[in-house]
Amino acid sequence: MSFDLVLFGGTGDLAWRKLMPALFQAFRHGSLPEDGRIIGVARDDLSDDAYRELIQSRFAAVEGAKRPSAEEFKKFASMLHYLRMDLSKPDDYAKLAELLQRRDASTVVMYLATAPGLFTQVVEQIAEAGLNGPKTRVVLEKPLGHDLASNRAINKAVCKVLAEHQVFRIDHYLGKPSVQNLFAMRFGNALFEPIWRREHIASIEITIAEDLGVEKRGAFYDQTGALRDMVQNHALQLVCALGMEPPINAHADAIRDEKLKVLRALKPWTAESIGLHAIRGQYAAGTAYGERVQGYRDEPGVDPNSRTETFVALRTEIANWRWAGVPLYIRTGKRLASRDARIEVNFKPTPHAIFRAPTGAANKLVINLQPKDGLELHMLAQAQDSRQRNGNRRAGPQLAPVQLDLDFDKRFGSERVGAYERLLLDVIDGRLNLFVRSDEQEEAWRWVEPLIDSWASDGAPRSYAAGTWGPSASSAMIARDGFSWSEEQ
């Protein structure tokens, strides 16, 4: 199969940091179709060879095992080409059309790794140049808009010139092997699905914690914040994977129909619930990696009086028959105590205790997303019989916590495929299962919009020291229900 992948923003941060390494790994693994061409597009005045040299120099920053040798890069570089374009000039799109028509590949992928404000303009110009035919697929990076209205405007403009099946709204979390295994765990095994409901589950916690600050993205992040950057997309996609009903088959629309039902079932926000169940914070100076680090407002590109949140903790529920009454906690933030993304499913205690167990001990399933990747099943097992030690035969045997630990990296190792590698190959092959449909995306924006509106008129976020787990109000919020975050247990 021949393909052309046009990378708008081909010299940008996302291109060299994520996309090019992913494409190279697919090339190394032999899964990237051989008859392919990757065309970087940007305003820089570069030749094909100069672009290849630029990408090769960027690969020096890639972790060792994923870094190409000189011989490997030479072979990969033969696929790389470059076209200088000003995305505001129709004549430059005509040059792109001429370049693509000269080869007439069977599939053309347009990857918009540009500022979101350019999406509508680029898509409209692609159509004006006649590049929106049936073999074209367009990939849109997040964030798609900054609120519901802007998201609808982008989707409306895109759907005027492209069919829904040609639009690939990417959320790289859906490509993570650990998230794939969440679907496999639920719908490929008979073990968990019968107890995956309110009768057996006490609560669910989702944590996406980063120990880094905003790095060089201060100006972008200050206009975005943690709610838009992480909750509206990544976190809510995890909620969908956890809460959805089994789809009728593995086809894209069957899966996305069920995810949409979950988003529509999330409890809507009210002024009262926002006050009780929505915590936002902003990191101040603190300690990370044993060194003193500056606060968010002192980061380059950030407004010194910024009210942008770098931390969000929420409590919500999926208001349907399966999940009614089960609290769902979402937490994400920057400059937290460690880099840790996990889902914890806390099961209810046994209805009648006949053994002695540690206070609060119950079964728990932990789905590790990063940096670990795997499953942990926490159970209770009989410890040494304490009756022999203390003579109290009526007390009953003592139980102690144990766990079963499945590390997917150790089990599958070299077979693992990275998120962007998987998603890019799916675009080339035309598989939509791991991409977000327009109605899904709009429903997610609709759910977070009351928070956006409330926080726009609210005071400053709560301050928390860098290197901690966020504002204490986050712990108080979950403690009101009798639960606690994993690091507090």
Coordinates of all heavy atoms in Angstrom, one line a residue, residues 155-236:
N155 N -15.6 21.6 14.4 CA -16.2 20.4 13.8 C -17.1 20.7 12.7 O -17.2 20.0 11.7 CB -17.0 19.7 14.9 CG -16.2 18.8 15.8 OD1 -15.1 18.3 15.4 ND2 -16.6 18.6 17.1
K156 N -17.8 21.8 12.7 CA -18.7 22.3 11.7 C -17.9 22.5 10.4 O -18.3 22.1 9.3 CB -19.5 23.5 12.1 CG -20.5 23.9 11.1 CD -21.3 25.1 11.6 CE -22.4 25.6 10.5 NZ -23.1 26.8 11.0
A157 N -16.8 23.3 10.5 CA -16.0 23.6 9.4 C -15.4 22.3 8.8 O -15.3 22.2 7.5 CB -14.9 24.6 9.8
V158 N -14.9 21.4 9.6 CA -14.3 20.2 9.1 C -15.3 19.3 8.4 O -15.1 18.8 7.3 CB -13.7 19.4 10.3 CG1 -13.3 18.0 9.9 CG2 -12.5 20.2 10.9
C159 N -16.5 19.2 9.0 CA -17.6 18.3 8.4 C -18.2 18.9 7.1 O -18.9 18.2 6.4 CB -18.6 18.0 9.4 SG -18.1 17.0 10.8
K160 N -17.9 20.2 6.8 CA -18.4 20.7 5.6 C -17.6 20.2 4.4 O -18.1 20.1 3.3 CB -18.2 22.3 5.6 CG -19.3 23.0 6.2 CD -19.1 24.5 6.1 CE -20.3 25.3 6.7 NZ -20.0 26.8 6.6
V161 N -16.4 19.8 4.6 CA -15.5 19.4 3.5 C -15.0 18.0 3.6 O -14.3 17.5 2.7 CB -14.3 20.4 3.4 CG1 -14.8 21.8 3.1 CG2 -13.4 20.4 4.7
L162 N -15.2 17.3 4.8 CA -14.8 16.0 4.9 C -15.9 15.1 5.6 O -16.7 15.6 6.4 CB -13.6 15.9 5.9 CG -12.3 16.5 5.4 CD1 -11.3 16.7 6.5 CD2 -11.6 15.7 4.3
A163 N -16.0 13.9 5.2 CA -16.9 12.9 5.9 C -16.3 12.6 7.2 O -15.1 12.6 7.5 CB -17.1 11.7 5.0
E164 N -17.2 12.2 8.2 CA -16.8 11.9 9.5 C -15.8 10.8 9.5 O -14.8 10.8 10.3 CB -18.0 11.5 10.4 CG -17.7 11.1 11.8 CD -17.2 12.2 12.7 OE1 -17.6 13.4 12.4 OE2 -16.3 11.9 13.6
H165 N -15.9 9.8 8.6 CA -14.9 8.7 8.6 C -13.5 9.1 8.1 O -12.6 8.3 8.2 CB -15.4 7.5 7.8 CG -15.5 7.8 6.3 ND1 -16.6 8.2 5.7 CD2 -14.5 7.6 5.4 CE1 -16.4 8.4 4.4 NE2 -15.1 8.0 4.2
Q166 N -13.4 10.3 7.6 CA -12.1 10.8 7.2 C -11.4 11.7 8.2 O -10.2 12.0 8.1 CB -12.3 11.8 5.9 CG -12.8 11.1 4.7 CD -13.0 12.0 3.5 OE1 -14.0 12.7 3.4 NE2 -12.0 12.1 2.7
V167 N -12.1 11.9 9.4 CA -11.5 12.7 10.4 C -11.1 11.9 11.6 O -11.9 11.2 12.2 CB -12.6 13.8 10.9 CG1 -12.0 14.7 11.9 CG2 -13.1 14.5 9.7
F168 N -9.8 12.0 12.0 CA -9.2 11.2 13.1 C -8.8 12.2 14.2 O -7.8 12.8 14.1 CB -8.0 10.5 12.5 CG -8.3 9.3 11.6 CD1 -8.8 9.6 10.3 CD2 -8.2 8.0 12.0 CE1 -9.1 8.6 9.5 CE2 -8.5 7.0 11.2 CZ -9.0 7.3 9.9
R169 N -9.7 12.4 15.2 CA -9.4 13.2 16.3 C -8.6 12.4 17.3 O -9.1 11.5 17.9 CB -10.7 13.8 16.9 CG -11.5 14.6 16.0 CD -12.9 14.9 16.6 NE -13.8 15.6 15.6 CZ -14.4 14.9 14.6 NH1 -14.4 13.6 14.6 NH2 -15.2 15.5 13.7
I170 N -7.3 12.8 17.5 CA -6.4 11.9 18.2 C -6.4 12.2 19.7 O -6.4 13.4 20.0 CB -5.0 12.0 17.5 CG1 -4.1 10.8 18.0 CG2 -4.4 13.4 17.8 CD1 -2.9 10.7 17.1
D171 N -6.4 11.2 20.5 CA -6.1 11.3 21.9 C -5.1 10.2 22.2 O -5.5 9.1 22.2 CB -7.4 11.1 22.7 CG -7.2 11.4 24.2 OD1 -6.1 11.1 24.7 OD2 -8.1 11.9 24.9
H172 N -3.8 10.6 22.4 CA -2.8 9.6 22.5 C -3.0 8.6 23.6 O -2.4 7.5 23.6 CB -1.4 10.2 22.5 CG -1.0 10.9 23.8 ND1 -1.3 12.2 24.0 CD2 -0.4 10.4 24.9 CE1 -0.8 12.5 25.2 NE2 -0.3 11.4 25.8
Y173 N -3.8 9.0 24.7 CA -4.0 8.1 25.8 C -4.7 6.8 25.3 O -4.5 5.7 25.8 CB -4.8 8.8 26.9 CG -4.0 9.1 28.1 CD1 -2.9 10.1 28.0 CD2 -4.2 8.5 29.3 CE1 -2.2 10.4 29.1 CE2 -3.4 8.9 30.4 CZ -2.4 9.8 30.3 OH -1.6 10.1 31.3
L174 N -5.5 6.9 24.3 CA -6.2 5.8 23.8 C -5.3 4.8 23.1 O -5.6 3.6 22.9 CB -7.4 6.2 22.8 CG -8.5 6.9 23.5 CD1 -9.6 7.4 22.5 CD2 -9.2 6.0 24.5
G175 N -4.1 5.3 22.7 CA -3.1 4.4 22.0 C -2.2 3.7 23.0 O -1.4 2.8 22.6
K176 N -2.2 4.1 24.3 CA -1.3 3.5 25.3 C -1.6 2.0 25.4 O -2.8 1.6 25.5 CB -1.5 4.2 26.6 CG -0.8 5.6 26.7 CD -0.9 6.2 28.1 CE -0.2 7.5 28.2 NZ 1.3 7.3 28.2
P177 N -0.6 1.2 25.5 CA -0.8 -0.3 25.7 C -1.7 -0.6 26.9 O -2.5 -1.5 26.9 CB 0.6 -0.9 25.8 CG 1.4 0.1 25.1 CD 0.8 1.5 25.3
S178 N -1.4 0.2 28.0 CA -2.2 0.0 29.2 C -3.7 0.2 29.1 O -4.5 -0.5 29.7 CB -1.6 0.8 30.4 OG -1.5 2.2 29.9
V179 N -4.0 1.2 28.3 CA -5.4 1.5 28.0 C -6.0 0.4 27.1 O -7.2 0.0 27.3 CB -5.6 2.9 27.4 CG1 -7.1 3.2 27.1 CG2 -5.1 4.0 28.4
Q180 N -5.3 0.0 26.2 CA -5.7 -1.1 25.3 C -6.0 -2.4 26.2 O -7.0 -3.1 26.0 CB -4.7 -1.5 24.3 CG -4.4 -0.4 23.3 CD -5.7 0.1 22.6 OE1 -6.3 -0.7 21.9 NE2 -6.0 1.3 22.8
N181 N -5.2 -2.6 27.2 CA -5.4 -3.7 28.1 C -6.6 -3.5 29.0 O -7.1 -4.5 29.6 CB -4.1 -4.0 28.9 CG -3.2 -5.0 28.1 OD1 -3.6 -6.1 27.7 ND2 -2.0 -4.5 27.8
L182 N -7.0 -2.3 29.3 CA -8.2 -2.0 30.0 C -9.4 -2.5 29.3 O -10.3 -3.2 29.8 CB -8.3 -0.5 30.3 CG -9.6 0.0 31.0 CD1 -9.8 -0.8 32.3 CD2 -9.5 1.5 31.2
F183 N -9.4 -2.3 28.0 CA -10.5 -2.8 27.1 C -10.4 -4.3 27.1 O -11.5 -5.0 27.2 CB -10.4 -2.3 25.7 CG -10.9 -0.8 25.6 CD1 -10.0 0.2 25.5 CD2 -12.2 -0.5 25.6 CE1 -10.4 1.5 25.3 CE2 -12.6 0.8 25.5 CZ -11.7 1.8 25.3
A184 N -9.2 -4.9 26.9 CA -9.1 -6.3 26.9 C -9.5 -7.0 28.2 O -10.1 -8.1 28.2 CB -7.6 -6.7 26.5
M185 N -9.1 -6.4 29.3 CA -9.4 -6.9 30.6 C -10.9 -7.0 30.8 O -11.5 -8.1 31.3 CB -8.8 -6.1 31.7 CG -9.1 -6.6 33.1 SD -8.8 -5.3 34.4 CE -10.2 -4.2 34.1
R186 N -11.6 -6.0 30.4 CA -13.1 -6.0 30.6 C -13.8 -6.8 29.6 O -14.7 -7.6 30.0 CB -13.6 -4.5 30.4 CG -13.3 -3.6 31.6 CD -14.2 -2.4 31.6 NE -15.6 -2.8 31.7 CZ -16.7 -2.1 31.4 NH1 -16.5 -0.8 31.0 NH2 -17.9 -2.5 31.5
F187 N -13.5 -6.7 28.3 CA -14.3 -7.4 27.3 C -13.7 -8.6 26.7 O -14.3 -9.2 25.8 CB -14.6 -6.3 26.2 CG -15.2 -5.1 26.7 CD1 -14.7 -3.8 26.4 CD2 -16.3 -5.1 27.6 CE1 -15.3 -2.6 26.8 CE2 -16.8 -3.9 28.1 CZ -16.3 -2.7 27.7
G188 N -12.5 -9.0 27.1 CA -11.9 -10.2 26.6 C -11.8 -11.3 27.6 O -11.3 -12.4 27.3
N189 N -12.3 -11.0 28.8 CA -12.2 -12.0 29.9 C -13.6 -12.0 30.6 O -14.3 -11.0 30.7 CB -11.2 -11.6 31.0 CG -9.8 -11.6 30.3 OD1 -9.2 -12.7 30.2 ND2 -9.2 -10.4 30.0
A190 N -13.9 -13.1 31.2 CA -15.2 -13.3 31.9 C -15.1 -13.0 33.4 O -16.0 -13.1 34.2 CB -15.8 -14.7 31.7
L191 N -13.8 -12.7 33.9 CA -13.6 -12.6 35.3 C -14.2 -11.4 35.9 O -14.8 -11.5 37.0 CB -12.0 -12.7 35.5 CG -11.5 -12.6 36.9 CD1 -12.0 -13.9 37.7 CD2 -10.0 -12.6 37.0
F192 N -14.0 -10.2 35.3 CA -14.3 -9.0 36.0 C -15.7 -8.5 35.6 O -16.4 -7.8 36.5 CB -13.3 -7.9 35.7 CG -12.0 -8.2 36.3 CD1 -10.9 -8.6 35.6 CD2 -11.8 -8.0 37.7 CE1 -9.7 -8.8 36.1 CE2 -10.6 -8.3 38.3 CZ -9.5 -8.7 37.5
E193 N -16.2 -8.7 34.4 CA -17.4 -8.1 34.0 C -18.6 -8.3 34.9 O -19.4 -7.4 35.2 CB -17.7 -8.5 32.6 CG -18.8 -7.6 31.9 CD -18.5 -6.2 31.8 OE1 -17.3 -5.8 31.8 OE2 -19.4 -5.3 31.9
P194 N -18.8 -9.5 35.5 CA -20.0 -9.7 36.3 C -20.0 -8.9 37.6 O -21.0 -8.6 38.2 CB -19.9 -11.2 36.7 CG -19.1 -11.8 35.6 CD -18.1 -10.8 35.2
I195 N -18.8 -8.5 38.1 CA -18.7 -7.7 39.3 C -18.4 -6.2 39.0 O -18.1 -5.4 39.9 CB -17.7 -8.2 40.3 CG1 -16.3 -8.3 39.7 CG2 -18.1 -9.6 40.8 CD1 -15.2 -8.7 40.6
W196 N -18.4 -5.8 37.7 CA -18.1 -4.5 37.3 C -19.3 -3.6 37.4 O -19.8 -3.1 36.4 CB -17.5 -4.5 35.9 CG -16.5 -3.4 35.6 CD1 -16.8 -2.3 34.8 CD2 -15.2 -3.3 36.0 NE1 -15.7 -1.5 34.7 CE2 -14.7 -2.1 35.4 CE3 -14.3 -4.1 36.7 CZ2 -13.4 -1.7 35.6 CZ3 -13.0 -3.7 36.9 CH2 -12.6 -2.5 36.3
R197 N -19.8 -3.3 38.7 CA -21.0 -2.6 38.8 C -21.2 -2.2 40.3 O -20.4 -2.5 41.2 CB -22.2 -3.5 38.4 CG -22.2 -4.9 39.1 CD -23.1 -5.9 38.4 NE -24.4 -5.3 38.0 CZ -24.7 -5.0 36.7 NH1 -23.9 -5.4 35.7 NH2 -25.9 -4.5 36.4
R198 N -22.2 -1.4 40.5 CA -22.4 -0.7 41.8 C -22.6 -1.7 43.0 O -22.2 -1.4 44.1 CB -23.7 0.2 41.7 CG -25.0 -0.6 41.7 CD -26.2 0.3 41.5 NE -27.4 -0.4 41.6 CZ -28.0 -1.2 40.7 NH1 -27.3 -1.3 39.5 NH2 -29.1 -1.8 40.9
E199 N -23.1 -2.9 42.7 CA -23.3 -3.9 43.8 C -21.9 -4.3 44.4 O -21.9 -4.7 45.6 CB -24.0 -5.1 43.3 CG -25.5 -4.9 43.0 CD -25.7 -4.4 41.6 OE1 -24.7 -4.1 40.9 OE2 -26.8 -4.4 41.1
H200 N -20.8 -4.2 43.7 CA -19.6 -4.7 44.2 C -18.5 -3.7 44.3 O -17.5 -3.9 45.0 CB -19.1 -5.8 43.2 CG -20.1 -7.0 43.1 ND1 -20.2 -8.0 44.1 CD2 -20.9 -7.3 42.1 CE1 -21.1 -8.8 43.7 NE2 -21.6 -8.4 42.5
I201 N -18.6 -2.6 43.6 CA -17.5 -1.5 43.6 C -17.9 -0.4 44.4 O -19.0 0.2 44.3 CB -17.3 -1.1 42.1 CG1 -16.6 -2.2 41.3 CG2 -16.3 0.1 42.1 CD1 -16.4 -1.9 39.9
A202 N -17.0 0.0 45.3 CA -17.3 1.1 46.3 C -16.9 2.4 45.7 O -17.6 3.4 45.9 CB -16.5 0.9 47.6
S203 N -15.8 2.5 45.0 CA -15.4 3.8 44.4 C -14.3 3.5 43.3 O -13.7 2.4 43.3 CB -14.8 4.7 45.5 OG -13.6 4.2 45.9
I204 N -14.1 4.5 42.5 CA -13.1 4.5 41.4 C -12.3 5.7 41.5 O -12.8 6.8 41.6 CB -13.7 4.3 40.0 CG1 -14.4 2.9 39.9 CG2 -12.6 4.3 39.0 CD1 -15.2 2.7 38.6
E205 N -10.9 5.6 41.4 CA -10.0 6.8 41.4 C -9.2 6.8 40.2 O -8.6 5.7 39.9 CB -9.1 6.8 42.7 CG -9.9 6.8 44.0 CD -9.0 6.6 45.2 OE1 -7.7 6.8 45.0 OE2 -9.5 6.2 46.3
I206 N -9.1 7.9 39.5 CA -8.2 8.1 38.4 C -7.2 9.2 38.7 O -7.6 10.3 39.1 CB -9.0 8.5 37.1 CG1 -10.0 7.4 36.7 CG2 -8.1 8.8 36.0 CD1 -10.9 7.8 35.6
T207 N -5.9 8.8 38.7 CA -4.9 9.8 38.9 C -4.0 9.9 37.7 O -3.5 8.9 37.2 CB -4.0 9.4 40.1 OG1 -4.8 9.5 41.3 CG2 -2.8 10.3 40.3
I208 N -3.7 11.1 37.2 CA -2.8 11.4 36.1 C -1.8 12.5 36.7 O -2.1 13.6 36.6 CB -3.4 11.8 34.8 CG1 -4.5 10.8 34.4 CG2 -2.3 11.9 33.7 CD1 -5.3 11.2 33.2
A209 N -0.7 12.0 37.3 CA 0.2 13.0 38.0 C 1.5 13.2 37.2 O 2.0 12.2 36.7 CB 0.5 12.5 39.4
E210 N 1.9 14.4 37.1 CA 3.2 14.7 36.5 C 4.1 15.4 37.5 O 3.6 16.3 38.3 CB 3.0 15.6 35.3 CG 2.1 15.0 34.2 CD 1.9 16.0 33.0 OE1 2.9 16.3 32.3 OE2 0.8 16.5 32.9
D211 N 5.4 15.0 37.5 CA 6.3 15.7 38.5 C 7.0 16.9 37.8 O 7.6 17.7 38.5 CB 7.3 14.7 39.0 CG 8.1 13.9 37.9 OD1 7.8 14.3 36.7 OD2 8.8 13.0 38.2
L212 N 6.8 17.0 36.5 CA 7.4 18.2 35.8 C 6.5 19.4 35.9 O 5.3 19.3 36.1 CB 7.7 17.9 34.4 CG 8.7 16.7 34.1 CD1 8.8 16.4 32.6 CD2 10.1 17.1 34.7
G213 N 7.1 20.6 35.7 CA 6.3 21.8 35.6 C 5.8 22.0 34.1 O 5.7 21.0 33.4
V214 N 5.6 23.2 33.7 CA 5.2 23.5 32.4 C 6.3 23.5 31.4 O 6.1 23.6 30.2 CB 4.3 24.8 32.3 CG1 3.0 24.7 33.0 CG2 5.1 26.0 32.8
E215 N 7.6 23.4 31.9 CA 8.7 23.4 31.0 C 8.7 24.7 30.1 O 8.6 25.8 30.5 CB 8.8 22.1 30.2 CG 8.8 20.9 31.2 CD 10.0 20.9 32.2 OE1 11.1 20.8 31.8 OE2 9.6 21.0 33.4
K216 N 8.8 24.4 28.8 CA 8.9 25.5 27.8 C 7.5 25.9 27.2 O 7.4 26.6 26.3 CB 9.9 25.2 26.7 CG 11.3 24.9 27.1 CD 12.2 24.5 26.0 CE 13.6 24.3 26.5 NZ 14.5 23.8 25.3
R217 N 6.5 25.3 27.8 CA 5.1 25.5 27.3 C 4.3 26.5 28.1 O 3.1 26.5 28.1 CB 4.4 24.1 27.2 CG 5.0 23.1 26.4 CD 4.4 21.7 26.6 NE 3.0 21.6 26.1 CZ 2.0 21.2 26.8 NH1 2.2 20.8 28.1 NH2 0.8 21.1 26.3
G218 N 5.0 27.4 28.8 CA 4.3 28.3 29.7 C 3.2 29.1 29.0 O 2.1 29.3 29.5
A219 N 3.6 29.7 27.9 CA 2.6 30.6 27.2 C 1.4 29.8 26.7 O 0.3 30.3 26.8 CB 3.3 31.3 26.0
F220 N 1.6 28.6 26.2 CA 0.5 27.8 25.7 C -0.3 27.3 26.9 O -1.6 27.5 26.9 CB 1.0 26.6 25.0 CG 0.0 25.5 24.9 CD1 -1.1 25.5 24.0 CD2 0.0 24.3 25.7 CE1 -2.0 24.5 23.9 CE2 -0.9 23.3 25.6 CZ -1.9 23.4 24.7
Y221 N 0.3 26.8 28.0 CA -0.4 26.3 29.1 C -1.2 27.3 29.8 O -2.3 27.0 30.3 CB 0.6 25.6 30.1 CG 0.0 24.7 31.1 CD1 -0.2 23.3 30.8 CD2 -0.5 25.1 32.3 CE1 -0.9 22.5 31.7 CE2 -1.1 24.3 33.2 CZ -1.3 23.0 32.9 OH -1.9 22.2 33.8
D222 N -0.7 28.5 29.9 CA -1.4 29.6 30.6 C -2.7 29.9 30.0 O -3.6 30.5 30.6 CB -0.5 30.8 30.7 CG -0.8 31.7 32.0 OD1 -1.2 31.1 33.0 OD2 -0.8 32.9 31.9
Q223 N -2.9 29.6 28.7 CA -4.2 29.8 28.0 C -5.0 28.5 28.0 O -6.1 28.5 27.5 CB -3.9 30.2 26.6 CG -3.1 31.5 26.4 CD -3.8 32.7 27.0 OE1 -5.0 32.9 26.9 NE2 -3.0 33.5 27.8
T224 N -4.5 27.5 28.6 CA -5.2 26.2 28.6 C -5.6 25.7 29.9 O -6.8 25.6 30.3 CB -4.3 25.1 27.9 OG1 -3.9 25.7 26.6 CG2 -5.0 23.8 27.6
G225 N -4.6 25.4 30.8 CA -4.9 24.9 32.1 C -5.1 23.4 32.2 O -5.4 22.7 31.1
A226 N -5.1 22.8 33.4 CA -5.2 21.4 33.5 C -6.5 20.8 33.1 O -6.6 19.7 32.6 CB -4.9 21.0 35.0
L227 N -7.6 21.6 33.3 CA -9.0 21.1 33.0 C -9.1 20.8 31.5 O -9.5 19.7 31.1 CB -10.0 22.1 33.4 CG -11.5 21.7 33.2 CD1 -11.8 20.5 34.1 CD2 -12.4 22.8 33.4
R228 N -8.6 21.8 30.7 CA -8.7 21.6 29.2 C -7.6 20.7 28.7 O -7.8 19.9 27.8 CB -8.5 23.0 28.5 CG -9.7 23.9 28.7 CD -9.4 25.2 27.9 NE -10.5 26.1 27.9 CZ -10.6 27.2 28.8 NH1 -9.7 27.3 29.7 NH2 -11.6 28.0 28.7
D229 N -6.4 20.7 29.3 CA -5.3 20.0 28.8 C -5.4 18.5 29.1 O -4.9 17.6 28.3 CB -4.0 20.5 29.5 CG -2.7 20.0 28.8 OD1 -2.7 19.9 27.6 OD2 -1.8 19.7 29.5
M230 N -6.0 18.1 30.3 CA -6.0 16.7 30.7 C -7.4 16.1 31.0 O -7.6 15.0 30.6 CB -5.1 16.6 32.0 CG -3.7 16.9 31.8 SD -2.8 15.9 30.6 CE -2.7 14.3 31.5
V231 N -8.3 16.9 31.6 CA -9.5 16.3 32.0 C -10.5 16.1 30.9 O -11.1 15.0 30.7 CB -10.2 17.1 33.1 CG1 -11.6 16.6 33.5 CG2 -9.3 17.2 34.4
Q232 N -10.7 17.2 30.1 CA -11.7 17.2 29.0 C -11.4 16.0 28.0 O -12.4 15.5 27.4 CB -11.7 18.5 28.3 CG -12.7 18.7 27.2 CD -12.2 18.2 25.9 OE1 -11.0 18.2 25.6 NE2 -13.1 17.7 25.0
N233 N -10.2 15.6 27.9 CA -9.9 14.6 26.9 C -9.4 13.3 27.5 O -10.1 12.3 27.6 CB -8.8 15.1 25.9 CG -7.8 16.0 26.6 OD1 -7.0 15.6 27.3 ND2 -7.9 17.3 26.3
H234 N -8.1 13.3 28.0 CA -7.5 12.0 28.5 C -8.3 11.4 29.6 O -8.7 10.2 29.6 CB -6.1 12.3 29.0 CG -5.2 12.9 28.0 ND1 -5.3 12.6 26.7 CD2 -4.1 13.7 28.1 CE1 -4.3 13.2 26.0 NE2 -3.6 13.9 26.9
A235 N -8.6 12.2 30.7 CA -9.3 11.6 31.9 C -10.7 11.1 31.5 O -11.1 10.0 32.0 CB -9.4 12.6 33.0
L236 N -11.4 11.9 30.7 CA -12.8 11.5 30.4 C -12.8 10.3 29.4 O -13.7 9.5 29.5 CB -13.6 12.6 29.8 CG -14.0 13.7 30.7 CD1 -14.9 14.8 30.1 CD2 -14.7 13.2 32.0

